[in-house]
Structure formats: structure tokens, C-alpha cells
Amino acid sequence: MWIEIMRVAWRSVRANKMRSFLTMLGIIIGVMAVVLSSAIGLSAKAGVTKQVENLGTNVLTVMPGSASSGGISRGFGSASTLTTSDATAIAEQDPDVQYVAPLVSSDQQVVYGTNNTNTAIEGTNAEYPDIKNLTMAEGRFFLESEVNSAANVAVLGSQVEETLFSGERVNPVGQTIDIGGIPFTVVGVAASQGTSGFSNQDDAIAIPITTAMNLFTGSDTVNQILVSAKSQDVMDQAQLEVESTLRVQHQLSAATADDFQISNQATILNTLSGVDRILTLLLDGISAISLLVGGIGIMNIMLVSVTERTREIGIRKAIGAKRSVISMQFLLESLMLSVSGAIVGLILSSIGTEIVSKLTQDGNLLSPVAVGASMGFSVAIGLIFGVYPARKAANLKPIDALRFE
Amino acid sequence: MTEYDSGARASRDLIVIENLVREYQVGGQTIRALDGVTLTIQHGEFVAIMGPSGSGKSTMMNMIGCLDTPTAGRYCLDGFDVAHLSEDDLAMLRNQKIGFVFQSFNLLPRTTALENVELPMMYLGVPSKIRKQRALEALQRVGLAERVYNRPNELSGGQQQRVAIARALVNNPVLILADEPTGALDSRTTEDILNLFEELHAQGNTIVLVTHEDEVGRHAKRIVRFRDGRVELDTGAQRKVGVPKHVD
Ligand SMILES: Nc1ncnc2c1ncn2[C@@H]1O[C@H](COP(=O)(O)OP(=O)(O)OP(=O)(O)O)[C@@H](O)[C@H]1O
Ligand SMILES: [Mg+2]
């Protein structure tokens, strides 16, 4: 008999296709929000992991300024307390440090022939590519000797190369470009690195730090110092060494806080996943509300359905349907609406996540937890919001139901 | 699930009604649709309930059919005092003891004739194979063997009423209740349906039928005439005079 009751419920869902679909829409959107929010979480995590791999998992970033002074965060890089001699001191004194690359940046107008662009000029040393795991698409990175001699040589990011040399059928290596009005020789083009955090590494030009300081910044303060530890295992030691070296360099007394900030991949990851957490929370909120609204929609339609079919209920009762049979019929109908909605939502969102993961190559973004949770949630909603209409149907008196016009 | 099987019951009385009252409250006013009805109907009778519009015929049928509960008075169906039964018990009682035929057919829409006839057996828990077979037999009995897969909106009024009769018969009820079963049919179809009822009566079924038309009433063996919620005339009761009362 239960199979028949299911058939009856299913037939009623199908009899009003448009209405059923619209009713399901709330659940469909809710389920998609659940799955997509978890997919965004997974994708963000995958993205961060990829960047961390790009950068190398053993890199420390030193920035000037403290996280908070007087209780107010001033943000990174707002003070200019780091100098090239700090970088030299770290390189010379800290045993667990492998490479050190100070970094100064300034935005400059870059011209080649008729093409020009405004881009970030990063002054650094020859150890930079080792820290960044930078590979060259063409030519080479500049050499230590070129840093020492403050040579006018430049390594282009792949995007800058594309902009400057678009339409030009020449090998950029060996060409002369103008940076801030000063001629530089291109010695290499870096392979594409993608975005790191919030900056696009491909839209930048690397030049010797000495040259950058001479021509553009005019001081020996640096924006940041990249430090790589000898291995991932000695990250913590390396960080402590760098910190004490810098405190000595800056002559800080024991009572004074650091006037610089050292962040490792873990802290960067935390900041990024914090952003991601807020996003996920937001989407979770949307999905919860959407599922709730979907549930109310189902209850509304079920009440309409009970009223519409009062006569049918009367006939069934007259013929001998018990209360449980009637209430089960309507409960199943409401369950079918919510579960069908969930299935449609899952199909749509699995197609969506499939496309996104193909594009981003982030692997499988359809989390089984999200699928299970949204399914479970939908079943619960179908039951909760179906109970009242089902009870209403079951409680109808046979004669009143039969007389209903 | 309670099984209502009368088995070898001593009494021949199928319906025993004593001082039945049904009142309706309409806008603060009390309407007595049934005003103290006393009536006994035995197994195998063919009774027509007649009377002017508003005299309480339908109300009476709803009481007999256990679709409605009385304000006062006693009603026993096949030995069961209806007042003592729960709503689910009443559903099972209707399922097993009563077959309904309504003026407006009351078939389930979007549902084939066969499925409509299977419905009472489904609620009884009959396995689907047997169900289908018995439903087909019932449809054949009312002369509708060819239209079993049609939905009500694909059938004529007379055909729909046949389906309803097949549905009423299929659980072998002790009582068939028909409230103006021919009210929506033309005279030819009415004749067909009434012949069907007579046939069923001849086979031993108890039939209680409400009608306005004397033509229809003539088919019945006993006429109970209502007026203002009371029994005004009962030909069965008259005939009973001189018949020795059944003692068990
Ligand atoms: N649900 C109800 N609420 C209020 N009054 C009702 C209700 N049902 C019936 N009545 C009243 O009870 C009285 C008897 O009605 P009933 O339907 O039994 O008459 P009837 O003999 O079947 O009439 P007809 O031949 O027109 O079908 C009428 O006065 C009617 O108005
Ligand atoms: Mg009536």
C-alpha cells in the first residue's frame, strides 16, 4: 500500500509541474548555495595552497612597521625601518637562512617603441628567483655582478612582455626599453607565475636593487625582505634568528616591540582563509535563509493542495482511508517536493562545480559533506513543513470534506 | 487493524437506529435535520428513502454511512455501536461494510477506472495482484470491462456511476448506500443503473437508496418517507404487521 501512496503523492507533484517546480526553486537555490559555498571554500584553499607551493613553503616575509602601534593597526609597510644593511646582516649572521632578497618597488612608466605601460618596478638582488621559484621563459635573470655594478638591466614579467612587445616580432631579450625615461636592456622574461595574494606577479619588472635605489627611490630603505629558510623544518628557528638579528640591527631595547613584522606562509594562509571564512559564512547564511523560505513555500503549496483536494480527501476517507494514510500521502508529497528540489539543486551545482574545477584545475570541488548536509537538510525541511498540512488533511471530517465545494 | 467480520451473527438486523437526532448550528440558529428517527433495516432489504427537499434524507444517509456523527440517539451497524468507535475504526467499518454511490459519482480525478475500483481494497491491504483481478471482475459485473483504463473525464455520466458502483461492490460490503445515484443521469441510463441495483439486491446485497423520483422508488421493496427530519411513512413497517418477530 505504501508504494501506492508514494505513487499518488508523486502523481500529484507531477500533475502541477510548473507549480511544483516553482515550489522547489527555493530548495534548489538553497542547496546550490550550500554546495557552492563549500566549493568556494575548497577552491580558495586549493588556490592558497598552489600559491604557497609557488612561493615555496620555506619563505619568510619581513615587512617594516608593527602590526599595531598604540592599539591601532597601521598596516604593513607603513614605516620605513628596513634597509639593505638589514638584509645583509640576515644573510651574514643567520645560520638557518639560505637566501635573502630585499625588495623595493615603485611604479614607473615603461616604453618600448610605441607601446607603453605603467607597471611595478621591483628592485631586488640575484637571489630573488631562488626564493620565488621563478623560472625563465626566455633569457636569464640578472646576475650578482650586475647588482653590484648597478647595471641598467631588466627582467620582464610575462604580462609586461606581452603588453610592450605585442605586435613586435622581435625577441625581447637584448632589446632596450625605457623605464621612467631611462634606458634598460632586457636580459630575460620570467615564466608566468600567476597572482600571489592580491598582487599580479606577471605585471612587474625586476631590476637590480642598486639601480632601483639610485634611479627611483633615492634611499636605502626597502619595502620588504624575502628570506628563505634552509628547509621547512628550520622555519621557526630561522624566524627567531631573523627577528633577533633585526632587533640588534635596529637597536631595540628589551621593552620595545618589534618595528617590523615577520610573516610565514601559515600567517598568510590564515589571513586568506579568514576572508574565505567570512565569504563562506555569508553564503551559509544565504543558503539557510533560502532553504527556510523554500520550506515555507512548500508548506504554502501543500496547504493549497490540501484545500484543493479536500473532496478527494473526503472520497478517500469515505472509502476507508485512515488518518495515517491521508497524512502520509501529503507528507510524502511535501518530502518529494523538497527532495526533488535538492536533487535538481545538486545536479545543477555539480555541473557548476565541475565547470569551475575544470577552469581553475582545483580538483574536485563537490564536497561530499556539503552534498550530504544539503540532502539531509532538505529532507528535514520537507518533513517539518509538511507535517502541518498533512495533519490538517488527516483531521478533516469525512462529511465536511465530501461536502466541500 | 480491526477486522469487522460479523460471521454467524444471530440477528437479522443490519441497521438499528433509535431516536437519532442531528442538529446543525447555522448563524446562532439550531436546525434539526433529524428529529428523533427510529428505524430498523434488515439484511437483504432494498429500501428507498424519499421525501421533500430538505427533509433530512442526505443527513440520514451520512449517519447510516458513518460519515457523520449524531447529536443524540443510538446507531448500531451490524451489531457495532458506532458511538464507541474511533475515527480510524469508523474508516475501517466504512471500508469493509459499506459501499457508497453518490449523486456526483465522487470518483478520483486523473485516476483510471481500474485504480478507482482498486482503492477500497488498497485501504484494506489486499495484495495488488488480487486487487487488480477483483477490480476487473467488479468492472465486468457493471458492464464496463472495456473502459478500465479510462479516467473519469473520459467516461459518460452513466459509465462513471457504473465505476462508482463497482468500487462500492468490490470489498463485498454488507450494505450499499446510494444518495440519489441517478440524479445526474438521463432516464435511459437511470433505468440501466436501477436494473443493476435490482440485480445486486437479487444477489443478496442490502441496498438503501435516496431518491426524489417515484419511478426510481418503485424498484425498491420498501419505502421510508421523510418529512421535517422525521419518518412520516414506512411501508416496510406496515408490511411487518402480522409477520412474526424474529427471535433468536
Ligand atoms: N452541513 C450543514 N449545515 C447546516 N445545515 C445543514 C447541513 N446539512 C444539511 N443541513 C440542513 O439540514 C436539513 C436537511 O438537509 P438534507 O441535506 O438532509 O436534506 P435532503 O432531504 O437530502 O434534501 P434534498 O432532497 O434537497 O437533497 C436542511 O434544512 C439543510 O439545510
Ligand atoms: Mg440530499
Side-chain angles (χ1 to χ4, degrees):
Chain A
M1 175 156 78
W2 298 112
I3 295 166
E4 272 84 3
I5 295 177
M6 265 170 88
R7 268 229 306 270
V8 168
W10 180 239
R11 196 181 296 175
S12 155
V13 170
R14 286 195 18 186
N16 296 295
K17 283 198 189 64
M18 193 59 187
R19 189 167 92 182
S20 298
F21 173 72
L22 291 175
T23 309
M24 286 182 219
L25 214 51
I27 302 290
I28 292 175
I29 292 169
V31 166
M32 284 178 72
V34 170
V35 174
L36 291 182
S37 88
S38 89
I40 285 173
L42 286 178
S43 158
K45 203 182 263 172
V48 168
T49 316
K50 207 151 57 175
Q51 282 161 29
V52 169
E53 278 164 6
N54 256 350
L55 201 57
T57 47
N58 55 344
V59 176
L60 297 169
T61 308
V62 186
M63 301 246 202
S66 56
S68 74
S69 74
I72 300 158
S73 172
R74 291 190 300 162
F76 301 120
S78 50
S80 32
T81 54
L82 291 178
T83 62
T84 42
S85 53
D86 289 338
T88 316
I90 294 168
E92 283 171 356
Q93 294 167 22
D94 300 346
D96 289 311
V97 167
Q98 191 168 20
Y99 299 113
V100 179
L103 227 62
V104 299
S105 24
S106 63
D107 280 358
Q108 299 294 340
Q109 192 70 20
V110 183
V111 183
Y112 175 78
T114 54
N115 295 337
N116 71 91
T117 179
N118 198 298
T119 190
I121 309 299
E122 309 264 23
T124 186
N125 65 13
E127 294 182 10
Y128 179 83
D130 294 317
I131 296 177
K132 285 277 198 177
N133 288 338
L134 196 70
T135 52
M136 302 302 293
E138 276 168 75
R140 58 172 176 82
F141 205 76
F142 50 77
L143 309 169
E144 203 182 334
S145 58
E146 287 166 327
V147 176
N148 291 337
S149 63
N152 285 11
V153 289
V155 174
L156 307 183
S158 58
Q159 196 175 318
V160 177
E161 188 260 343
E162 242 167 69
T163 317
L164 284 183
F165 291 89
S166 73
E168 311 274 345
R169 290 161 191 276
V170 291
N171 186 347
V173 176
Q175 300 297 313
T176 301
I177 59 172
D178 267 15
I179 301 178
I182 295 154
F184 278 75
T185 307
V186 176
V187 294
V189 178
S192 173
Q193 284 230 99
T195 54
S196 147
F198 304 102
S199 71
N200 184 350
Q201 313 221 329
D202 294 336
D203 189 15
I205 296 174
I207 61 173
I209 188 166
T210 43
T211 317
M213 285 174 163
N214 287 345
L215 296 175
F216 301 127
T217 65
S219 78
D220 72 341
T221 57
V222 300
N223 296 94
Q224 51 176 292
I225 301 173
L226 297 178
V227 177
S228 74
K230 287 221 162 89
S231 79
Q232 214 180 329
D233 304 330
V234 297
M235 280 287 280
D236 291 343
Q237 286 102 298
Q239 184 163 349
L240 288 175
E241 288 163 16
V242 170
E243 187 181 2
S244 68
T245 303
L246 287 178
R247 286 186 71 86
V248 172
Q249 279 280 315
H250 295 179
Q251 296 165 339
L252 299 175
S253 68
T256 331
D258 290 351
D259 59 355
F260 54 86
Q261 273 252 318
I262 305 173
S263 51
N264 57 31
Q265 292 315 308
T267 53
I268 293 173
L269 221 129
N270 267 343
T271 346
L272 287 176
S273 63
V275 173
D276 158 55
R277 248 202 304 278
I278 292 168
L279 223 124
T280 313
L281 217 68
L282 203 90
L283 272 164
D284 282 349
I286 292 173
S287 24
I289 292 169
S290 174
L291 283 174
L292 190 74
V293 171
I296 294 169
I298 287 180
M299 177 142 93
N300 185 32
I301 281 305
M302 287 312 299
L303 287 173
V304 170
S305 178
V306 168
T307 308
E308 269 180 357
R309 286 152 69 199
T310 302
R311 225 185 145 78
E312 176 192 324
I313 295 166
I315 296 170
R316 289 181 184 278
K317 287 198 155 194
I319 288 172
K322 290 188 187 176
R323 291 166 41 96
S324 57
V325 171
I326 299 290
S327 83
M328 192 54 72
Q329 179 187 328
F330 285 92
L331 203 56
L332 277 174
E333 188 175 328
S334 133
L335 254 183
M336 280 170 184
L337 282 174
S338 69
V339 170
S340 317
I343 289 171
V344 172
L346 284 178
I347 289 171
L348 289 180
S349 44
S350 69
I351 292 171
T353 52
E354 187 62 26
I355 290 171
V356 171
S357 62
K358 275 264 159 57
L359 289 178
T360 60
Q361 302 186 329
D362 280 341
N364 184 23
L365 294 177
L366 196 65
S367 114
V369 177
V371 170
S374 53
M375 205 66 197
F377 224 62
S378 307
V379 169
I381 276 174
L383 283 176
I384 292 167
F385 288 97
V387 163
Y388 175 67
R391 279 185 60 91
K392 199 177 164 207
N395 284 342
L396 282 172
K397 290 198 141 190
I399 186 62
D400 295 338
L402 271 175
R403 281 172 157 269
F404 184 82
E405 293 300 321
Chain B
M1 189 182 288
T2 322
E3 286 284 336
Y4 295 100
D5 189 1
S6 54
R9 202 170 296 282
S11 173
R12 288 283 302 150
D13 294 340
L14 175 61
I15 293 169
V16 178
I17 290 169
E18 286 166 6
N19 286 314
L20 207 70
V21 177
R22 176 60 162 111
E23 291 177 342
Y24 290 108
Q25 306 290 340
V26 181
Q29 228 186 333
T30 303
I31 296 171
R32 280 209 157 190
L34 294 179
D35 188 13
V37 176
T38 298
L39 184 69
T40 303
I41 296 174
Q42 296 190 331
H43 278 280
E45 283 199 78
F46 188 167
V47 182
I49 295 180
M50 301 188 71
S53 185
S55 58
K57 305 182 296 292
S58 293
T59 309
M60 189 69 235
M61 287 298 264
N62 295 334
M63 292 295 159
I64 296 174
C66 302
L67 294 169
D68 199 2
T69 43
T71 311
R74 207 165 79 93
Y75 169 38
C76 289
L77 175 64
D78 207 16
F80 291 97
D81 189 337
V82 166
H84 299 317
L85 298 177
S86 74
E87 212 191 301
D88 278 354
D89 288 337
L90 288 175
M92 277 291 101
L93 192 72
R94 288 193 294 269
N95 182 259
Q96 291 167 42
K97 295 222 172 283
I98 305 169
F100 290 95
V101 181
F102 301 93
Q103 177 175 1
S104 50
F105 319 134
N106 274 341
L107 297 175
L108 290 187
R110 300 187 300 273
T111 309
T112 63
L114 185 66
E115 286 169 312
N116 263 293
V117 177
E118 282 189 38
L119 211 56
M121 292 186 282
M122 186 176 109
Y123 292 137
L124 186 58
V126 176
S128 74
K129 259 223 177 79
I130 300 174
R131 213 157 66 202
K132 185 170 179 191
Q133 186 195 330
R134 268 169 52 183
L136 285 171
E137 280 167 16
L139 281 165
Q140 194 158 24
R141 210 163 142 197
V142 298
L144 264 187
E146 262 87 75
R147 313 300 298 266
V148 295
Y149 294 112
N150 287 62
R151 287 161 215 282
N153 60 346
E154 298 159 352
L155 296 171
S156 74
Q159 288 167 333
Q160 287 184 59
Q161 198 59 301
R162 284 164 191 273
V163 175
I165 293 170
R167 184 180 65 185
L169 288 176
V170 80
N171 266 359
N172 290 321
V174 288
L175 174 64
I176 293 169
L177 292 179
D179 191 350
E180 304 195 41
T182 58
L185 304 176
D186 67 17
S187 56
R188 255 212 60 176
T189 323
T190 297
E191 204 52 39
D192 287 349
I193 295 291
L194 286 173
N195 287 335
L196 197 54
F197 276 117
E198 281 205 23
E199 222 174 280
L200 293 172
H201 174 239
Q203 288 160 5
N205 287 295
T206 312
I207 297 169
V208 179
L209 169 151
V210 170
T211 183
H212 272 128
E213 300 159 72
D214 296 334
E215 191 64 33
V216 175
R218 215 163 292 144
H219 287 260
K221 302 293 174 286
R222 173 182 172 189
I223 291 174
V224 178
R225 192 172 293 279
F226 272 68
R227 181 176 293 276
D228 299 332
R230 293 166 177 274
V231 177
E232 183 192 48
L233 171 93
D234 186 344
T235 59
Q238 281 169 357
R239 262 208 318 244
K240 254 186 177 174
V241 176
V243 176
K245 204 166 179 194
H246 186 88
V247 184
D248 33 58

